[in-house]
């Protein structure tokens, strides 16, 4: 299933698929040359044998630490590391970066999201997401809209399929005042967000319009931690995206996010505000 970023742009294409398959073939060739089974190779790259299989078959991006560990374990003379760089550059811009982020999302221990432009994809109602896709420029066909809706709903299953993953969302109040798609769509969106917010592994906090302090005026951000306790960040803009692995930058963004959570309303007060906003529609 393809993943799409919150703006509705596709994050997979033939070029990305070919590059992933090519990288997988390189890894497989070196592994077999060294006489290792996938089960024997997996501990050397801190992955399960199923992850190794998915990488070799071109079904997923390699985990961040995979290329370097694989190159060392297989004495690949730097070939695997160079091949991994080719994969990350095979489709410049937002789409490729989001595909990589989406892969990490599916395994994250926790995921923190701040958004000021639109309700994040993981929280969007079907009608709200449809309106975003219908407003896409250049315009999308009916089939493309249907495909994106299916992908969006598939991605949203993370919230219930990953009950041990802690999801935190900090959202601006004005996102729910915009009435995207009309009053009925806005009401349905609030109902959906309230329902998702009732899950034990999901915390949703609103930044009220009258809040005088704000630690994240620089824009939206996403942060996560992998099962290997590595932390990454992702920031998104108009037809552009940035995957961040620099520890200093991630530390700075985490401090901003932590401060913003303390400035925002509590989840309980946020739910009360959402109910009041719905009542005013």
């Amino acid at each position: 299933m393809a993943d799409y970023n919150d703006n509705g742009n596709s994050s997979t294409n033939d070029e990305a698929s070919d590059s992933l398959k090519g990288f997988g073939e390189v890894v497989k060739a070196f592994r077999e040359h060294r006489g290792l089974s996938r089960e024997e190779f997996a501990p050397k790259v801190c992955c399960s044998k199923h992850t190794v299989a998915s990488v070799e078959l071109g079904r997923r991006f390699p985990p961040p630490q995979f290329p370097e560990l694989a190159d060392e374990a297989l004495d690949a003379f730097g070939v695997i590391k160079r091949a991994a760089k080719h994969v990350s550059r095979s489709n410049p811009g937002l789409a490729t970066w989001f595909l990589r982020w989406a892969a990490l999302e599916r395994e994250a221990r926790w995921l923190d999201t701040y958004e000021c432009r639109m309700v994040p994809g993981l929280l969007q109602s079907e009608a709200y997401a449809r309106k975003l896709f219908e407003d896409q420029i250049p315009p999308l066909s009916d089939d493309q809209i249907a495909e994106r809706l299916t992908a969006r709903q598939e991605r949203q299953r993370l919230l219930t399929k990953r009950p041990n993953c802690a999801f935190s969302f900090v959202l601006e109040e004005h996102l729910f005042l915009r009435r995207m798609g009309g009053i009925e769509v806005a009401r349905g969106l609030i109902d959906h967000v309230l329902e998702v917010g009732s899950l034990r592994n999901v915390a949703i906090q609103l930044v009220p319009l009258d809040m005088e302090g704000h630690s994240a005026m620089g824009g939206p951000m996403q942060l996560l931690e992998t099962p290997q306790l590595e932390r990454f960040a992702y920031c998104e803009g108009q037809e552009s995206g940035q995957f961040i692995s620099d520890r200093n930058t991630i530390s700075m963004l985490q401090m901003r996010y932590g401060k913003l959570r303390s400035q925002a309303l509590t989840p309980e007060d946020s739910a009360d505000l959402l109910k009041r906003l719905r009542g005013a529609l």
Side-chain angles (χ1 to χ4, degrees):
M1 179 62 64
D3 286 302
Y4 298 84
N5 68 20
D6 289 348
N7 290 309
N9 296 317
S10 173
S11 59
T12 60
N13 58 26
D14 292 339
E15 184 182 5
S17 297
D18 287 345
S19 67
L20 285 173
K21 290 176 183 177
F23 176 79
E25 288 292 338
V26 169
V27 173
K28 181 180 178 181
F30 274 101
R31 176 181 61 78
E32 292 181 341
H33 178 71
R34 296 299 174 187
L36 295 174
S37 67
R38 286 173 176 165
E39 190 169 15
E40 292 169 330
F41 178 54
K44 299 180 183 295
V45 289
C46 301
C47 293
S48 68
K49 64 178 181 180
H50 303 294
T51 296
V52 171
S54 294
V55 169
E56 290 187 349
L57 293 171
R59 294 175 178 169
R60 60 160 292 172
F61 267 91
Q65 80 284 2
F66 186 97
E68 184 171 353
L69 293 177
D71 207 282
E72 181 178 346
L74 300 175
D75 295 326
F77 312 106
V79 173
I80 293 176
K81 288 191 289 185
R82 290 195 295 273
K85 292 179 181 179
H86 176 71
V87 168
S88 68
R89 291 197 301 264
S90 63
N91 184 21
L94 179 61
T96 295
W97 287 126
F98 191 77
L99 180 60
R100 186 177 183 185
W101 183 260
L104 291 171
E105 241 182 11
R106 291 192 288 270
E107 299 180 349
R109 298 178 70 244
W110 51 259
L111 177 68
D112 293 342
T113 301
Y114 165 61
E115 185 55 80
C116 56
R117 307 161 306 161
M118 71 192 77
V119 173
L122 288 174
L123 299 180
Q124 291 172 8
S125 66
E126 180 178 350
Y128 181 88
R130 180 182 294 276
K131 177 59 177 173
L132 291 177
F133 296 140
E134 289 175 346
D135 287 351
Q136 188 76 28
I137 300 296
L140 302 174
S141 69
D142 289 344
D143 287 344
Q144 288 174 317
I145 291 174
E147 182 184 40
R148 282 154 174 73
L149 282 171
T150 300
R152 178 60 45 82
Q153 291 165 347
E154 177 66 24
R155 181 172 164 235
Q156 289 176 346
R157 292 194 179 97
L158 288 174
L159 299 170
T160 52
K161 288 173 62 177
R162 308 278 328 284
N164 298 120
C165 178
F167 294 88
S168 167
F169 299 90
V170 179
L171 313 175
E172 297 288 341
E173 177 186 353
H174 70 75
L175 298 179
F176 300 94
L177 297 174
R178 186 173 296 279
R179 300 186 181 184
M180 176 73 71
I183 290 178
E184 289 306 314
V185 172
R187 286 173 178 163
L189 173 66
I190 292 176
D191 289 341
H192 180 73
V193 171
L194 285 169
E195 181 180 357
V196 173
S198 68
L199 298 172
R200 285 195 302 274
N201 62 324
V202 177
I204 298 174
Q205 297 177 251
L206 295 193
V207 179
L209 286 173
D210 59 1
M211 188 178 79
E212 297 181 358
H214 198 300
S215 66
M217 292 299 287
M221 64 178 116
Q222 296 186 61
L223 302 152
L224 62 71
E225 183 176 82
T226 71
Q228 293 76 35
L229 306 184
E230 294 179 304
R231 297 183 177 184
F232 299 96
Y234 173 73
C235 297
E236 180 178 277
Q238 289 272 351
E239 299 302 320
S240 63
Q242 183 182 16
F243 183 89
I244 301 170
S245 59
D246 178 72
R247 293 182 180 179
N248 290 331
T249 303
I250 293 170
S251 176
M252 176 187 64
L253 292 176
Q254 284 184 307
M255 287 190 288
R256 291 178 183 174
Y257 189 83
K259 180 65 174 179
L260 185 62
R261 288 193 71 177
S262 71
Q263 294 169 326
L265 298 177
T266 66
E268 294 76 18
D269 289 342
S270 297
D272 288 341
L273 176 55
L274 283 172
K275 293 173 183 176
R276 294 197 300 272
L277 293 175
R278 190 193 189 287
L281 291 173

